Amino acid sequence: MTEEITELLKTDYEAGFVTDVESDTLPPGLNEHVIRQISEKNGEPEWMFQWRMKAYESWCKMKEPRWGHLAYPDVDFDQVSYYSKPKNVDDDHSSDGLDPELQDTYEKLGIPIREQGESLEGGVAVDAIFDSASVVTTYRKRLEEAGIIFMPMSEAMHQHADLVKKYLGTVVHQNDNFYSALNSAVFAAGTFVYIPKGVRCPMELSTYFRINEKNTGQFERTLVIADEGSYVSYLEGCTAPKRDENQLHAAVVELVALDNAEIKYSTVQNWYPGDGDGKGGIYNFVTKRGICHHNAKISWTQVETGSSVTWKYPSCILKGDNSIGEFYSVAITNKWQQADTGTKMIHLGKNTKSTIISKGISAGDSQNAYRGLVRMGKMAEGARNYTQCDSLLIGDQCGAHTFPYIESRHPTAVVEHEATTSKVSDDQLFLCQQRGVDVEKAVSMIVNGFCKEVFQELPKEFAVEACKLLEITLEGSVG
Amino acid sequence: MLSIHNLEASVEDKPILKGLSLSVKPGEVHAIMGPNGSGKSTLGHVLAGREGYEVTGGSVDFFGTDLTELEPEERAREGLFLAFQYPVEIPGVSNLEFLKAAVDAKREHAGLEPLDSVSFIRTARESCQKVDLEQSFLKRGVNEGFSGGEKKRNELLQMMMLEPKIAILDETDSGLDIDALQVVAKGVNAMRNEERGFVVVTHYQRLLNYIVPDYVHVLAGGRIVKSGGKELALQLESEGYGWLEADK
Ligand SMILES: Nc1ncnc2c1ncn2[C@@H]1O[C@H](COP(=O)(O)OP(=O)(O)O)[C@@H](O)[C@H]1O
Ligand SMILES: [Mg+2]
């Protein structure tokens, strides 16, 4: 069965094509001059350049983190180009002015870059980021009428400098870690969101990331601020071409949920995972963190299907009393993929609550680790965490690992942790076959069943896509 | 419909079936009895095409095609059903979803549209009733946390939904109390008709009081060593298998 599983795993990555556009790409390497150029190309204010330089100086003194359960050669940061922007991008980011090649690309990827319908209710607004630039931002004007700011970061620096200055780097500090420092120094594109007091954002906001140019990295920065009593649901998707070299993606996402606000942040991560021999693929080294003020709630949902290496821990700082943090994750690895992913729930306020549901699926020769920290601070009276961490193995060449860290400094805090490991057995697959169901369908039923609790947290259209991706990722994983 | 001729099969290079012949015609019920380890379950697995069960000789003809050439799921879609001696659990996949996938796969194979959900659920509920399972079992994971008897009845539920041409029941009676046994027998009897064949593997004569077979065969040492009518089962019950083994 294992052989057939391996055979099945050799499926194609559908988003692996290259778009033929002319771009303005900086030569590889990182130094002050490069940072100055990025800043100039973005037309940034001087304070932003200074901010970047501060991060760069810290980065130069830092070391790549190697504590993950991950094995990959050192990244040569001098070989990476830190900026690449397609030419022919309209300044007003409208879909009509977009290069036809790019229009084509988004059509192929199924990303709606045109505004549809009259009502915002139930729709999806997209900021489409192509390499280092935002190329289209939909619904921006109409959202503005509702007081909602949804725009590329580079513009927010000018138009909403006060908000950017106030919050940028406050949740994930520039020198929080090696990759956040790198990102702070060189980030180009990214999305800025502000939801005013008491406003419930009527539509899903989203960013779609596409890496296209070779030898470039993508370093975007997202900042979402939900003012008091507001609500927003944010989605994030991504893809990249198939290439034999590894490409770097080092993003930072910061969420600020002020008193009584709620942010729901969902990701379907489908970066190129590398080929059947483990060649190529994206190194996905990402720092995502949110802060919850009084009575606020942040919910992270992620479906990680792509990347050759994933290092990612969307976290919540539960600062305000009664605030809530949630983390729902499906991480699926196949072939030679490696994932070290999980979350940190930092309980500072009283009666703070967090829930962690992690589903790891490993197939092929892949390695899949859950790493999670639950910290109950000195003031976290009555705080509670519930963690459920399940692993599913397909075949016998893969690995699943769980690294839970629990630190409790308050006697009334309660931390519950449950973990299971199961295997898709030959007996199960044979039962399905004997009832006429082929193995591929059987595996996808079993895996979908395993992920149910997480999928139901995703917005509906996203859930459908997630199921489809899961099937593609697992195709060929069993015979 | 099913014609097994001199079948030889090995598991992990160990010969288990050593020249087994058996012919089942439409409408017939064949009982197979025999001591533990004689190869009864192996026969079921070989017919269903389980990986690791290697056919080393002989032939199996199913409605004119060489059964051994087909993938396990193709055999199933062609109408071969095996009720497992030890049904396995599939947590997280609901019984209903599982049944729907199975029925749709079979219908697609026959060039039919998938059944609409309403009729499907109605049929599933009716079948539940026939095997005395509460409808809530449709929502539970396949065999997940079911008792031994519930698992066996769930096998029958699947059989009813799939309406096979031939059903092999591997010790579907073992571990059942008399009431559950009667439910199983009733379910099987309700499915008996002129077209459908049954191979009923059992350890105990008592099942055959309720499912009256047309033929009884004794499997020992990987071969059918004795065949007869239903009275053979009674004889085996009183005299055991010893006298047959001595014959060899
Ligand atoms: N998967 C297997 N691996 C090794 N030996 C097996 C396997 N399945 C069955 N056997 C052997 O084949 C023989 C017949 O087993 P089985 O068909 O289960 O007998 P029965 O169902 O008549 O009790 C036994 O000796 C058993 O140990
Ligand atoms: Mg047996």
Side-chain angles (χ1 to χ4, degrees):
Chain A
M1 198 60 84
T2 313
E3 263 168 50
E4 287 163 295
I5 292 178
T6 318
E7 193 52 41
L8 256 165
L9 289 175
K10 288 182 190 144
T11 7
D12 237 29
Y13 177 70
E14 285 181 358
F17 60 91
V18 179
T19 308
D20 186 16
V21 282
E22 262 193 276
S23 10
D24 169 16
T25 305
L26 285 181
L30 183 55
N31 49 48
E32 181 173 343
H33 180 60
V34 167
I35 293 171
R36 173 59 84 185
Q37 278 180 292
I38 293 172
S39 193
E40 275 172 10
K41 282 174 192 295
N42 274 343
E44 285 173 5
E46 178 64 18
W47 61 264
M48 196 65 237
F49 171 71
Q50 295 303 337
W51 194 88
R52 289 176 182 277
M53 281 310 294
K54 209 175 114 206
Y56 176 65
E57 279 154 24
S58 322
W59 182 74
C60 289
K61 290 181 227 130
M62 293 169 100
K63 273 215 168 70
E64 238 187 296
R66 281 302 198 170
W67 41 258
H69 190 84
L70 303 166
Y72 56 94
D74 282 333
V75 179
D76 186 346
F77 293 93
D78 290 330
Q79 294 302 312
V80 177
S81 164
Y82 291 86
Y83 185 91
S84 177
K85 178 183 172 174
K87 293 180 177 166
N88 297 331
V89 175
D90 237 30
D91 276 344
D92 70 352
H93 300 274
S94 74
S95 38
D96 295 329
L98 190 63
D99 186 319
E101 284 286 339
L102 290 176
Q103 295 199 20
D104 228 41
T105 299
Y106 288 108
E107 192 158 318
K108 269 198 243 176
L109 295 168
I111 303 305
I113 52 161
R114 273 168 212 290
E115 299 185 10
Q116 288 140 345
E118 286 300 300
S119 147
L120 301 183
E121 205 66 47
V124 183
V126 182
D127 185 14
I129 295 177
F130 193 88
D131 290 327
S132 310
S134 165
V135 294
V136 172
T137 314
T138 63
Y139 292 101
R140 181 172 158 180
K141 296 211 172 65
R142 289 161 71 186
L143 285 164
E144 219 169 86
E145 287 159 20
I148 295 167
I149 305 169
F150 175 60
M151 64 169 60
M153 201 62 174
S154 52
E155 290 179 42
M157 282 170 203
H158 293 283
Q159 298 184 25
H160 302 283
D162 47 337
L163 284 172
V164 175
K165 272 190 193 165
K166 185 169 175 191
Y167 290 108
L168 190 71
T170 58
V171 190
V172 178
H173 294 198
Q174 286 162 298
N175 59 359
D176 182 84
N177 67 72
F178 182 83
Y179 288 106
S180 72
L182 178 64
N183 173 285
S184 302
V186 303
F187 80 90
T191 312
F192 176 81
V193 174
Y194 171 79
I195 315 290
K197 268 186 200 166
V199 170
R200 188 179 173 88
C201 185
M203 67 194 318
E204 312 271 353
L205 304 183
S206 73
T207 309
Y208 189 85
F209 301 100
R210 175 78 180 166
I211 295 179
N212 186 63
E213 192 66 20
K214 62 171 182 291
N215 297 327
T216 63
Q218 194 174 56
F219 308 91
E220 83 279 358
R221 187 132 194 148
T222 305
L223 175 58
V224 179
I225 303 157
D227 212 329
E228 291 173 18
S230 68
Y231 169 85
V232 63
S233 168
Y234 198 88
L235 317 176
E236 192 186 59
C238 56
T239 53
K242 287 189 199 177
R243 296 191 194 282
D244 285 348
E245 316 81 42
N246 297 103
Q247 280 182 280
L248 186 58
H249 173 251
V252 170
V253 175
E254 295 177 279
L255 309 183
V256 179
L258 296 172
D259 293 356
N260 302 307
E262 179 176 350
I263 302 174
K264 189 171 168 57
Y265 198 102
S266 315
T267 305
V268 172
Q269 186 266 102
N270 184 27
W271 292 121
Y272 177 53
D275 70 9
D277 302 320
K279 208 165 172 199
I282 303 291
Y283 289 165
N284 191 33
F285 301 141
V286 169
T287 308
K288 293 182 168 181
R289 194 175 301 149
I291 187 161
C292 284
H293 291 264
H294 189 80
N295 224 10
K297 176 175 173 184
I298 289 179
S299 180
W300 297 101
T301 305
Q302 62 170 18
V303 177
E304 301 284 313
T305 66
S307 299
S308 56
V309 179
T310 296
W311 179 92
K312 179 180 171 192
Y313 316 90
S315 303
C316 296
I317 301 170
L318 303 173
K319 181 171 176 236
D321 293 349
N322 304 315
S323 59
I324 298 173
E326 293 175 341
F327 176 73
Y328 299 97
S329 170
V330 165
I332 176 157
T333 53
N334 195 358
K335 302 176 195 176
W336 297 92
Q337 284 176 279
Q338 305 174 62
D340 192 295
T341 185
T343 184
K344 289 191 255 185
M345 292 292 175
I346 311 295
H347 293 250
L348 301 178
K350 291 195 188 82
N351 297 317
T352 44
K353 268 201 238 109
S354 65
T355 304
I356 299 172
I357 309 284
S358 161
K359 305 277 179 174
I361 301 142
S362 344
D365 293 274
S366 71
Q367 294 292 328
N368 200 328
Y370 166 81
R371 188 181 302 276
L373 166 68
V374 176
R375 178 182 293 152
M376 299 300 189
K378 285 201 286 273
M379 313 297 279
E381 186 187 326
R384 301 183 76 97
N385 160 266
Y386 172 74
T387 300
Q388 185 190 323
C389 186
D390 300 322
S391 306
L392 182 68
L393 298 160
I394 303 173
D396 42 23
Q397 305 294 312
C398 53
H401 318 274
T402 310
F403 305 101
Y405 306 89
I406 297 167
E407 298 169 11
S408 190
R409 297 194 192 127
H410 199 287
T412 64
V414 180
V415 179
E416 277 178 87
H417 180 95
E418 286 176 25
T420 66
T421 301
S422 49
K423 197 170 181 306
V424 176
S425 71
D426 287 359
D427 285 340
Q428 290 172 330
L429 294 177
F430 184 61
L431 167 60
C432 294
Q433 284 181 293
Q434 213 308 299
R435 300 302 182 247
V437 178
D438 62 52
V439 172
E440 229 162 273
K441 168 82 182 159
V443 168
S444 107
M445 276 198 309
I446 293 170
V447 169
N448 268 306
F450 179 74
C451 300
K452 219 178 284 172
E453 287 157 282
V454 173
F455 284 173
Q456 69 196 16
E457 294 298 323
L458 287 172
K460 206 152 97 231
E461 318 80 63
F462 237 41
V464 174
E465 194 198 328
C467 290
K468 222 168 59 194
L469 273 179
L470 211 97
E471 262 163 51
I472 292 170
T473 307
L474 280 173
E475 239 168 78
S477 70
V478 235
Chain B
M1 63 198 300
L2 180 71
S3 170
I4 306 168
H5 187 69
N6 265 335
L7 183 64
E8 292 172 27
S10 306
V11 182
E12 289 170 3
D13 291 329
K14 180 179 157 200
I16 311 283
L17 301 184
K18 300 167 184 166
L20 183 147
S21 298
L22 176 69
S23 180
V24 182
K25 295 198 183 66
E28 291 178 352
V29 174
H30 292 247
I32 296 187
M33 303 182 77
N36 273 332
S38 58
K40 303 185 295 295
S41 293
T42 301
L43 175 63
H45 283 126
V46 168
L47 293 177
R50 171 134 206 188
E51 196 176 28
Y53 290 75
E54 200 195 344
V55 174
T56 51
S59 65
V60 184
D61 179 287
F62 188 51
F63 287 104
T65 49
D66 179 356
L67 192 69
T68 61
E69 289 292 307
L70 301 182
E71 292 298 320
E73 58 268 33
E74 292 170 332
R75 301 180 195 201
R77 293 170 195 161
E78 285 288 331
L80 182 132
F81 183 92
L82 172 65
F84 291 90
Q85 183 174 0
Y86 304 109
V88 63
E89 301 190 5
I90 313 183
V93 177
S94 79
N95 237 344
L96 194 67
E97 180 188 6
F98 179 70
L99 286 169
K100 181 95 167 76
V103 170
D104 285 350
K106 190 185 166 201
R107 289 178 67 92
E108 190 186 335
H109 182 70
L112 299 170
E113 293 286 304
L115 216 53
D116 69 275
S117 309
V118 177
S119 350
F120 175 75
I121 291 172
R122 194 186 323 115
T123 319
R125 286 187 175 154
E126 283 166 12
S127 305
C128 269
Q129 230 159 25
K130 286 185 199 152
V131 296
D132 203 18
L133 279 177
E134 302 239 352
Q135 282 170 20
S136 60
F137 279 83
L138 290 172
K139 290 204 189 114
R140 288 172 59 177
V142 176
N143 295 325
E144 193 179 355
F146 289 20
S147 72
E150 287 161 353
K151 283 182 182 170
K152 297 293 172 93
R153 280 181 276 155
N154 203 31
E155 294 290 289
L156 283 197
L157 171 65
Q158 292 161 37
M159 177 174 81
M160 284 179 178
M161 295 297 291
L162 286 166
E163 303 181 314
K165 294 184 181 135
I166 188 157
I168 304 155
L169 309 182
D170 193 357
E171 298 204 26
T172 303
D173 56 329
S174 57
L176 297 187
D177 61 32
I178 192 73
D179 293 336
L181 186 82
Q182 283 178 357
V183 170
V184 166
K186 213 173 98 196
V188 171
N189 286 329
M191 288 203 60
R192 278 178 85 159
N193 64 27
E194 276 144 42
E195 272 128 54
R196 187 169 289 130
F198 284 91
V199 176
V200 180
V201 174
T202 181
H203 229 58
Y204 306 102
Q205 191 274 331
R206 68 172 187 170
L207 177 70
L208 305 179
N209 291 333
Y210 301 99
I211 303 174
V212 181
D214 300 300
Y215 302 93
V216 174
H217 310 274
V218 180
L219 180 55
R223 286 186 298 129
I224 303 283
V225 293
K226 179 127 187 112
S227 298
K230 57 178 188 272
E231 64 292 341
L232 179 55
L234 289 169
Q235 191 183 353
L236 290 167
E237 179 98 326
S238 56
E239 298 174 28
Y241 298 109
W243 58 282
L244 289 165
E245 309 247 343
D247 257 17
K248 282 193 290 189

